[in-house]
Amino acid sequence: MQNEEKKDEGFGRRDFLKSAVAGGAVAAAATAAVTVPQGAQAQPAGNGPAPGYAFLNLDEAAFVEALVDHMVPADQLSPKGTDMGLAIFIDRALAGGWGKGDRLYMQGPWKPGVPSQGYQLPLTPAELYRAGIAATNAHCMKTYSKSFDRLDATQRQEVLLGLSSAKITFADGLPVRVFWSTVYQTVIEGMFSDPIYGGNRDKAGWKMIGFPGVIANHAQNIIKYRDKKLPPNFVGIADMS
Amino acid sequence: MPKVMKEVDAVIIGLGWTGGILAKELAEAGLKVVALERGAMRTPAADFSVPMIRDELRFTSRNEMGQNVARDTLTVRNNPSQEALPMRRLGSFIPGEGAGGAGLHWNGQTWRWTDMELRIRTMYEERYGKKYIPADMTIQDWGVTYDELEPYYERFEYTAGVSGKAGNLRGKIQPGGNPFEAPRQRDYPLPPLNQSLACEMFTDAAKNAGYHPFPRPTANASRTYTNPDGATLSACQYCGFCERFGCEANAKGSPLTTVIPIALRNPNVELRTHSWVTRINKAADGKRVTGVTYINTLNGEEIEQPAAIVVLCAFVLNNVHLMLTSAIGKPYDPVSQTGVVGKNYCYQTAAGATLFFEGRNFNPFMSTGGLNVTVDDFYTNWAFDRAQYGYVGGSHIFGGMFHGRPIAYRPMPADTPQWGSEWKAASAKWYNSAMSINASGSVMANRYNYLDLDPTYRNVFGQPLMRMTFDYKPNEHKVGQHAAQAINDLAKTMNPTLMNPATARTDPWSVVPYQSTHNTGGTVMGTNPSNSVVNKYGQSWDCHNLFVTGAGLFSHNSAYNPTGPVGALAYWTVDAIKKQYLKKQGPLVSA
């Protein structure tokens, strides 16, 4: 059922891609979207192979993949984060309108303010993510002499606890709480948003908790299934399109 | 020089609930009406269809039906000593944008606010004495009474298709309804919704505790319904996509399924979308307005639209902003306590507990925006003695769930880790086996909670942003403490497996997490020009051909949701225009 945990977490996709960079055209082939044969478009989104990253560079991709696989490990409840499409979801979110600061008021002057005044950084979400990954990796290099993706599970846990409690501070002045809350938000959104956005692959997030998805005509069910589980039938937007 | 259009009888700024009501009614009275809407037109058939509308990421996380704050936002701070900074993304509240406004993405909960609100200062002074009301609590009577508004509440309930059960029919208490409500002439147009397991469990517990639970009245149609204007609502499907979403089933009472399409079929109404009003223009003598100036956001052109009557129907915050940028009425100053525009800005407070019942199946995704059971024993129940807690106002308490959308809703015991296998296990275990009990609390007007223009930040049209100064005061903390205690006492009687108890909030108001779009005040109605922006009919004290609608009229905020009185006051105002103002143009109340 579930995917095997990769044993050597430190040496994976990034090393392959990095070595491929030397090959130029080979690298392009490795990162470009796989050519989709005619007729395959009818496949529900999220079932296809990972189509490559639009925003994340190799180091960032390695960070995000390590992060989502640590936060969402494979177990009897779901595949691991990368296999649920979380890295793809995050990449697309950062590459898209939201990541570019769509619907974000971006006029200065810029001041830190107090927490109750909310987001006040002169950064789009994509810029924040990029700066936060660099700052976290700088912390990891200083503390462990390795980037985040090369840490073992105990060290990764230490770093995430440090970020989430703001016990880690970034030397470059980036506010750690703002970075962490953005990271956390994107992981959750990747797990539970509709699969059309690249995460929640095979509706694994919905299946984990029992959310049936977009078919939701429960006028009869609210009586019929009073204190009973609804029989599993998970439907996403692409299934109805 | 702006292009000048031909004068019309009435210009309506903003086409949501109140704009829709005013446009329809004035056009039917024979007036030529132009409605200016800064967003786009939407239709339920095209824009709310399944599956695309059931997209939590798009409509909740990204707030696609809300105001785009990249173009226009406001600055926020907790008190006058802080420097206000821009609300750079939507959070605490979600003003609507586009035809239908916030009336598209509301939940539907519809209440009648009683004389306990409308005559608040008089009633509290009579019962508790003048000294009971703190010196900085600037509550005041609204100038209108429940008896005056009663027929208009009924009009709105029948327009929006509210499902509920009367508790007080012409003075006789009715079993199953809210016994504390003010007398109503007619029952709700539709019977209550089917109740969920959480509703039933809460009802039993509340009855055992001696409270008086009733199904919350809500504009989610419990069966197919044709309203008095001939608009048909379909039966609610309990899909769990109400708040933030348009209703695919046409079951949620929305202006886009009721008043707006009827208004737009009337040849007297012209809708101009993408039309962003930047100014209401005053006549040279300052006693009238001459029309409005707006920008066509599709090409940047500035246009002047003269009108005999101007009705301000945008979201509450945008109404206040337009009054300030148009320099109509004196801006409120908290130091000297003079001026009126921006005064008595209020919000709401809340407390909530999550109850976990191992093995029970609540199916939170089978729900509606108004499906819960409420006890009003600590709110509109005037017999409840507030002096023992020392507050004005109070809270009502309700059990149930509004939705099970999983980005936002994954109840877990408070000590659960934030990630990892243990977190996944708790998410899976409790998603279907938890329910909540919440309280919604009033916020009383305070001298230092107000709206004015920001000195620094500007919108894309170069206008100053509005500045919001707001925080909870000791009165609200007392309401919250009592509400949390009452919730926890009641929850414990239900013997949950585990519980995240309710706690009273003590931190400052924050713009970050979503709390409520029940912003009120700033263009308050009242008894005279020194304490209010408009008279009891919503007519500007300064310019008699300018009328203001919406929750900005409220001079404090109740524990109840605001749309009931927003709708009732819109019908009340348009009746005053039709029956009085059109016959004799001038102030309807002498100053």
Side-chain angles (χ1 to χ4, degrees), chain B residues 167-168 173-174 176-182 212-214 376-377:
Chain B
N168 182 339
I173 302 302
Q174 307 292 310
N178 180 4
F180 306 115
E181 73 172 351
H212 300 79
F214 59 93
D376 211 2
D377 297 63

Side-chain angles (χ1 to χ4, degrees), chain B residues 297-359:
Chain B
T297 61
L298 298 177
N299 63 8
E301 187 180 20
E302 191 173 52
I303 298 163
E304 190 184 324
Q305 176 61 64
I309 297 173
V310 173
V311 193
L312 195 39
C313 298
F315 187 69
V316 41
L317 300 171
N318 300 327
N319 285 343
V320 181
H321 188 236
L322 256 182
M323 293 293 278
L324 289 168
T325 54
S326 307
I328 298 173
K330 193 178 172 197
Y332 172 72
D333 171 22
V335 178
S336 62
Q337 285 193 277
T338 56
V340 287
V341 181
K343 173 184 155 172
N344 283 14
Y345 170 72
C346 290
Y347 200 43
Q348 280 177 331
T349 188
T354 308
L355 288 69
F356 303 90
F357 293 91
E358 193 153 14

Side-chain angles (χ1 to χ4, degrees), chain A residues 73 105 109 184 197 226, chain B residues 55 195 200 418 424 457-458:
Chain A
Y105 180 82
Y184 194 77
Y197 296 102
R226 162 98 9 118
Chain B
D55 185 340
Q195 302 296 292
E200 290 184 348
Q418 279 189 294
K424 287 170 62 181
Y457 292 94
R458 304 210 160 236

Side-chain angles (χ1 to χ4, degrees), chain A residues 71 73 75 78 103 105 107 109-111 116-117 120 157 184 188 197 209 214 216 218 225-228, chain B residues 54-55 63 66 76 78 83 86 88 195 200 237 239 360-361 363 418-421 424 457-458 511:
Chain A
M71 290 179 70
D75 56 25
S78 84
R103 306 175 76 86
Y105 180 82
Q107 296 182 44
W110 302 91
K111 306 201 174 174
S116 64
Q117 291 174 306
Q120 294 297 338
Q157 182 71 4
Y184 194 77
I188 295 296
Y197 296 102
I209 59 174
V214 301
H218 296 308
Y225 292 100
R226 162 98 9 118
D227 207 3
K228 294 190 186 106
Chain B
R54 292 190 182 154
D55 185 340
N63 277 314
V76 296
N78 289 124
E83 181 174 9
R88 295 190 177 276
Q195 302 296 292
E200 290 184 348
Q237 297 300 310
C239 75
R360 303 304 294 265
N361 291 287
N363 296 322
Q418 279 189 294
W419 62 84
S421 279
K424 287 170 62 181
Y457 292 94
R458 304 210 160 236
V511 77

Side-chain angles (χ1 to χ4, degrees), chain B residues 69-382:
Chain B
V69 296
R71 297 198 294 193
D72 189 35
T73 183
L74 64 162
T75 63
V76 296
R77 60 180 179 176
N78 289 124
N79 59 67
S81 69
Q82 286 177 338
E83 181 174 9
L85 294 177
M87 176 177 82
R88 295 190 177 276
R89 57 163 59 107
L90 287 176
S92 184
F93 44 84
I94 314 290
E97 194 165 278
L104 301 184
H105 68 258
W106 70 315
N107 271 327
Q109 302 169 19
T110 306
W111 298 97
R112 293 182 173 200
W113 296 22
T114 68
D115 280 339
M116 199 185 89
E117 323 288 355
L118 306 173
R119 298 179 58 244
I120 188 166
R121 184 163 279 275
T122 300
M123 285 183 69
Y124 274 84
E125 285 187 355
E126 277 174 10
R127 174 153 181 197
Y128 295 104
K130 286 191 176 186
K131 285 189 182 154
Y132 187 76
I133 301 171
D136 62 351
M137 187 185 283
T138 51
I139 53 173
Q140 61 192 35
D141 292 359
W142 296 28
V144 68
T145 65
Y146 177 79
D147 283 347
E148 287 175 308
L149 286 186
E150 202 281 337
Y152 301 96
Y153 279 125
E154 182 184 301
R155 182 82 188 274
F156 182 68
E157 288 163 358
Y158 275 72
T159 298
V162 177
S163 301
K165 175 81 179 76
N168 182 339
L169 211 47
R170 295 182 286 276
K172 285 183 82 174
I173 302 302
Q174 307 292 310
N178 180 4
F180 306 115
E181 73 172 351
R184 56 171 61 244
Q185 290 301 306
R186 287 173 80 189
D187 204 334
Y188 291 97
L190 290 163
L193 294 158
N194 286 320
Q195 302 296 292
S196 65
L197 174 65
C199 291
E200 290 184 348
M201 287 171 62
F202 178 82
T203 301
D204 290 344
K207 278 186 182 160
N208 288 337
Y211 298 141
H212 300 79
F214 59 93
R216 172 167 298 210
T218 185
N220 313 132
S222 55
R223 57 178 71 151
T224 303
Y225 171 69
T226 300
N227 82 6
D229 299 321
T232 296
L233 280 71
S234 305
C236 175
Q237 297 300 310
Y238 301 77
C239 75
F241 287 82
C242 271
E243 189 173 47
R244 318 286 188 98
F245 299 87
C247 180
E248 173 264 335
N250 278 346
K252 180 163 70 177
S254 141
L256 263 195
T257 49
T258 55
V259 288
I260 290 174
I262 296 171
L264 295 182
R265 282 198 293 273
N266 190 317
N268 285 342
V269 176
E270 183 194 344
L271 167 63
R272 295 182 203 146
T273 55
H274 306 285
S275 298
W276 189 299
V277 177
T278 51
R279 193 169 63 247
I280 303 168
N281 300 311
K282 265 196 295 193
D285 67 0
K287 293 196 165 78
R288 298 178 78 257
V289 294
T290 58
V292 302
T293 299
Y294 69 95
I295 290 167
N296 176 352
T297 61
L298 298 177
N299 63 8
E301 187 180 20
E302 191 173 52
I303 298 163
E304 190 184 324
Q305 176 61 64
I309 297 173
V310 173
V311 193
L312 195 39
C313 298
F315 187 69
V316 41
L317 300 171
N318 300 327
N319 285 343
V320 181
H321 188 236
L322 256 182
M323 293 293 278
L324 289 168
T325 54
S326 307
I328 298 173
K330 193 178 172 197
Y332 172 72
D333 171 22
V335 178
S336 62
Q337 285 193 277
T338 56
V340 287
V341 181
K343 173 184 155 172
N344 283 14
Y345 170 72
C346 290
Y347 200 43
Q348 280 177 331
T349 188
T354 308
L355 288 69
F356 303 90
F357 293 91
E358 193 153 14
R360 303 304 294 265
N361 291 287
F362 290 100
N363 296 322
F365 44 83
M366 301 177 189
S367 193
T368 85
L371 187 60
N372 64 76
V373 170
T374 303
V375 297
D376 211 2
D377 297 63
F378 302 129
Y379 199 65
T380 294
N381 177 15
W382 187 244

